[in-house]
Amino acid sequence: MNRLKNVKLRDILAIPLFLLSIIPAMIYRLYLRMTEQNFWLIAEENEAHDNAFVFFDYMLAQHPEQKVYYAINSKSPDYQKMIDSFPEELLISYGGLKHWIYYLCAATNISSQKGAKPNAAICYVLEVYGILKNHRTFLQHGVTLNNVDFLHYSQTKMSLFITSARPEFEFIKKNFGYPETSVVYTGMPRLDRLHQTHANKKKILLMPTWRSWLKLNGKDAVELVNERKNIASSDYIITYNRLIQNDRLLSFLEKHQLELYFYPHRNAQDFIQYFQSNSSNVILCSELDFDVQELLIDSSFLITDYSSVALDFIYMKKPVVFFQFDEEKFRKYQYSSSYFDYHQTNLGAFASDIDSVIDVLEDSFNNNFNVSQDFNIAYQNFFTLCDNHNSERVFQAIKESLQKESK
């Protein structure tokens, strides 16, 4: 029960709502069984542009015979988009009583995020400790590159785990503890929309992942506690400020009339005020004003670190540099390394300091942001599935999984 140490007040307050939903859910399940109906529940919580949204949109267009609902927070920036674009009766207020009832009754709960449930803490107990044996499909937020403990079967009990790259599929199947048929290689739904894209040769994207020790409480080393207490002085904030304020980088951007779009990770958005640049060539992106997928599609070059967003970019055959200034600390306190070797891969370049990042950027610019032949060879081995049929494969995989479970 160690994971329950992070239970918050909102989790406690959700318990009565869960208890209130049990009897209506039992009645609704009986009705569904008697009328031989079923539905799939899809959720992303606070956004509507990731794999779950793309899959929901696909289902409505291509498989109207299968009833689907989408749960989204009514306070989400994307909520109005959903109201304007889809029948309101298919949208469910995230975390409300109806969400709880539908979560308990759905043939499968489909999400891009592990925590995309009516309440992550309560559902964790229900699912992982075997109290609730519902079918759950995990689309993932991105290609898993690291050995992420919280995605192991013992921590999720997911019925179906979607993967999008051949080495990822093999690694998860071997090391994450899932039953033989639970891990499938179909490709992520959102990758279907990344074919035949045309990037802006003047747009550079900076999109690093987060450092969990800056936000999560726990018995950390003293250096981590000190950073968390004063995030503005953390290595993370300081390093990215040094990058976006670097004279050499700014001169390069200005000389070639390039724009650097800095989109901090969703957790770093809470501290966006700590990132500062006086250059008009550097655009700091709030999640309220910029769409991640549009930025990825529009940009010609990506600076990231350990983020799986790199694989979306690589999938579009565009150049990436992995800027890992804190590799030893990241591996020690966040994710251990796995099958993906950032140092040796031909899918991107490695850099441990700012000057090296700029070197790679300049070289790529001088090559018109084209990838190499070595990249193309590595690409073919990594993305052995590369088409716009991922959503259909996911649909078929869910159907097959549900059929096996019903026998």
Side-chain angles (χ1 to χ4, degrees):
M1 287 285 190
N2 288 337
R3 290 186 54 101
L4 299 183
K5 65 186 178 181
N6 292 320
V7 169
K8 298 179 174 59
L9 177 61
R10 68 172 179 268
D11 304 321
I12 306 281
L13 295 176
I15 294 176
L17 204 58
F18 159 61
L19 296 174
L20 189 62
S21 72
I22 295 176
I23 293 178
M26 291 173 64
I27 296 172
Y28 191 30
R29 283 176 67 91
L30 180 60
Y31 167 77
L32 291 170
R33 189 177 299 116
M34 292 177 61
T35 57
E36 297 184 340
Q37 297 182 60
N38 73 80
F39 65 87
W40 297 359
L41 180 60
I42 303 173
E44 272 178 353
E45 186 175 3
N46 289 314
E47 57 189 23
H49 50 249
D50 206 338
N51 288 306
F53 167 73
V54 174
F55 187 63
F56 174 69
D57 190 35
Y58 177 83
M59 289 295 296
L60 293 182
Q62 301 299 325
H63 291 286
E65 76 280 4
Q66 175 59 61
K67 193 76 170 180
V68 290
Y69 294 93
Y70 191 91
I72 184 170
N73 192 325
S74 59
K75 296 180 181 179
S76 165
D78 290 333
Y79 180 74
Q80 192 57 50
K81 176 184 79 173
M82 298 298 290
I83 291 293
D84 294 340
S85 304
F86 301 99
E88 194 166 354
E89 64 268 20
L90 298 182
L91 305 179
I92 297 173
S93 179
Y94 192 93
L97 179 61
K98 186 176 181 179
H99 190 189
W100 272 110
I101 294 171
Y102 277 49
Y103 160 77
L104 294 171
C105 294
T108 183
N109 282 270
I110 304 168
S111 64
S112 306
Q113 303 287 347
K114 181 189 170 187
K117 323 263 177 73
N119 178 273
I122 297 174
C123 292
Y124 175 85
V125 174
L126 294 175
E127 296 165 357
V128 174
Y129 291 93
I131 301 169
L132 177 67
K133 299 184 184 297
N134 61 349
H135 188 280
R136 283 164 288 116
T137 301
F138 184 44
L139 300 179
Q140 292 208 73
H141 172 60
V143 177
T144 296
L145 296 176
N146 304 292
N147 190 0
V148 187
D149 291 344
F150 66 76
L151 292 183
H152 288 193
Y153 183 68
S154 62
Q155 299 298 314
T156 73
K157 300 298 174 69
M158 290 288 182
S159 310
L160 197 61
F161 194 117
I162 301 299
T163 65
S164 301
R166 176 60 63 180
E168 174 202 32
F169 167 69
E170 300 292 351
F171 182 80
I172 290 173
K173 195 173 181 179
K174 180 180 179 181
N175 297 285
F176 280 32
Y178 285 85
E180 180 69 21
T181 59
S182 292
V183 182
V184 293
Y185 179 26
T186 63
M188 289 184 293
R190 72 166 185 256
L191 297 182
D192 286 343
R193 300 186 171 186
L194 299 184
H195 294 268
Q196 297 180 335
T197 58
H198 300 283
N200 183 343
K201 296 294 185 180
K202 296 294 185 181
K203 185 177 290 187
I204 312 301
L205 181 59
L206 169 60
M207 191 180 292
T209 193
W210 178 239
R211 304 300 186 268
S212 61
W213 61 80
L214 295 179
K215 206 169 186 180
L216 297 178
N217 293 319
K219 295 181 180 180
D220 295 327
V222 174
E223 63 172 321
L224 304 189
V225 174
N226 291 338
E227 280 196 290
R228 184 162 58 241
K229 287 181 178 178
N230 191 4
I231 289 179
S233 300
S234 66
D235 290 341
Y236 183 78
I237 301 294
I238 288 174
T239 300
Y240 283 108
N241 270 329
R242 284 176 176 166
L243 176 60
I244 63 177
Q245 296 169 10
N246 182 274
D247 289 338
R248 180 185 165 200
L249 174 62
L250 297 181
S251 296
F252 174 75
L253 296 176
E254 184 176 352
K255 176 182 178 182
H256 299 287
Q257 297 180 315
L258 302 174
E259 292 180 319
L260 176 70
Y261 286 77
F262 180 20
Y263 189 99
H265 185 272
R266 71 168 66 87
N267 290 329
Q269 291 278 335
D270 293 339
F271 311 103
I272 199 168
Q273 69 274 17
Y274 296 137
F275 298 109
Q276 302 289 332
S277 177
N278 295 322
S279 172
S280 60
N281 296 86
V282 176
I283 296 91
L284 191 58
C285 303
S286 164
E287 62 182 347
L288 299 177
D289 302 319
F290 291 85
D291 181 274
V292 172
Q293 290 302 303
E294 290 179 2
L295 286 172
L296 289 168
I297 291 170
D298 290 345
S299 301
S300 288
F301 186 90
L302 174 67
I303 304 169
T304 186
D305 46 12
Y306 317 89
S307 176
S308 63
V309 75
L311 273 300
D312 287 56
F313 215 75
I314 290 167
Y315 188 82
M316 293 183 281
K317 296 188 175 181
K318 297 192 288 189
V320 172
V321 59
F322 300 105
F323 177 32
Q324 299 182 358
F325 60 90
D326 58 353
E327 183 181 15
E328 183 177 349
K329 186 194 290 187
F330 186 88
R331 292 305 177 196
K332 182 177 181 180
Y333 295 117
Q334 191 154 329
Y335 298 145
S336 60
S337 58
S338 69
Y339 68 93
F340 192 84
D341 188 341
Y342 292 91
H343 293 260
Q344 299 297 326
T345 180
N346 287 321
L347 293 174
F350 178 85
S352 59
D353 58 77
I354 291 174
D355 277 334
S356 296
V357 171
I358 301 171
D359 288 342
V360 175
L361 173 58
E362 289 180 342
D363 288 344
S364 186
F365 174 80
N366 292 331
N367 194 36
N368 202 30
F369 296 120
N370 291 316
V371 295
S372 67
Q373 183 59 36
D374 288 338
F375 172 96
N376 288 323
I377 294 171
Y379 184 99
Q380 291 170 8
N381 293 326
F382 197 84
F383 290 115
T384 56
L385 288 177
C386 185
D387 54 36
N388 59 358
H389 303 306
N390 295 338
S391 291
E392 180 61 25
R393 282 190 288 266
V394 170
F395 170 69
Q396 296 297 339
I398 294 174
K399 281 184 60 179
E400 290 175 16
S401 180
L402 287 170
Q403 288 169 358
K404 289 176 183 176
E405 193 174 87
S406 65
K407 292 180 180 180

